[in-house]
Amino acid sequence: MFDNAQLDKMIIFALIGIVVILVVAVFVLAVKRNIYYVDENGNEIKPNKKLSANGQPVHPAPQKMTPLKADPLPQDYDKAEPLEVKGSAVTGALVSVTINGATSESEITSFPCLMGRETSSCNLVISEPAVSRRHAQIIEEDGNLYLEDVSEHNGTFINGIKLPPLGRARIHEGDQISLGRAEIDVQKLLY
């Protein structure tokens, strides 16, 4: 192999080409900072940032706020029955999973709840080819539920917005989570 000078030159030029491509890719990612979001159709969502003439972000001027005047408490306030208040910590969620028109309901009460195709390790198994073996997970932190992307490849969407790779977002009642062609509707949070 090293006896043929022409072949050696081709190998060296190929290696130099690969290094140049990698350097350009690293530079582009460093400039772009790899911060972007796409909707379910793959269209890029650009953040609404206004820049001044010198390229610095423009921050709106603070607005003057006036305090609100509260109505006085009724005279029989101390006799009123207290309102029923939900507990502050979320203990689970009731979700419906729709795959190819078939819907099933699940109650998630143990966290982290790993979601994906792999039956041996996932708490919520989603049999869909576009879903990773371990795609995303729902975790409980400080009394709230969060959706975390655990696969950098297939994308995790919440309400049509793609999470950044390995990113996370807080879950609320009524949210719609998309993993591949599987739709997970958060019907109710359990307290």
Side-chain angles (χ1 to χ4, degrees):
M1 177 166 135
F2 293 104
D3 295 334
N4 187 343
Q6 190 69 13
L7 183 60
D8 293 341
K9 286 181 184 178
M10 288 175 48
I11 291 172
I12 291 171
F13 282 123
L15 291 174
I16 290 173
I18 291 171
V19 168
V20 168
I21 290 171
L22 290 175
V23 167
V24 169
V26 167
F27 178 73
V28 168
L29 289 176
V31 169
K32 190 174 179 182
R33 285 193 241 148
N34 203 18
I35 299 174
Y36 66 94
Y37 299 95
V38 295
D39 60 15
E40 288 181 312
N41 300 325
N43 301 321
E44 187 173 347
I45 300 170
K46 301 206 183 261
N48 295 330
K49 291 184 181 176
K50 294 182 181 180
L51 300 178
S52 64
N54 62 359
Q56 297 296 322
V58 175
H59 300 289
Q63 297 178 355
K64 184 178 179 183
M65 300 175 71
T66 57
L68 296 175
K69 293 183 180 178
D71 293 333
L73 293 174
Q75 291 180 356
D76 61 347
Y77 173 73
D78 57 343
K79 298 176 188 170
E81 293 185 24
L83 296 174
E84 184 179 325
V85 180
K86 290 182 179 179
S88 61
V90 176
T91 60
L94 181 63
V95 299
S96 66
V97 181
T98 305
I99 305 171
N100 296 327
T103 302
S104 63
E105 289 191 358
S106 294
E107 188 173 303
I108 301 170
T109 55
S110 84
F111 301 101
C113 175
L114 189 60
M115 300 179 289
R117 283 192 339 257
E118 193 171 82
T119 57
S120 62
S121 64
C122 292
N123 307 90
L124 186 60
V125 177
I126 301 173
S127 299
E128 162 63 37
V131 173
S132 300
R133 289 180 296 140
R134 294 181 185 133
H135 196 109
Q137 67 180 353
I138 296 176
I139 63 165
E140 184 275 329
E141 186 175 287
D142 297 327
N144 296 305
L145 295 184
Y146 293 89
L147 174 67
E148 284 189 342
D149 181 56
V150 296
S151 170
E152 297 182 51
H153 303 293
N154 290 336
T156 301
F157 293 82
I158 185 164
N159 299 323
I161 299 173
K162 183 178 181 182
L163 291 179
L166 306 176
R168 69 188 246 179
R170 187 170 168 196
I171 297 175
H172 302 89
E173 282 186 11
D175 283 349
Q176 186 175 49
I177 300 167
S178 301
L179 309 179
R181 290 181 292 267
E183 297 292 332
I184 302 168
D185 293 315
V186 180
Q187 295 178 341
K188 185 177 181 180
L189 294 180
L190 306 174
Y191 293 91

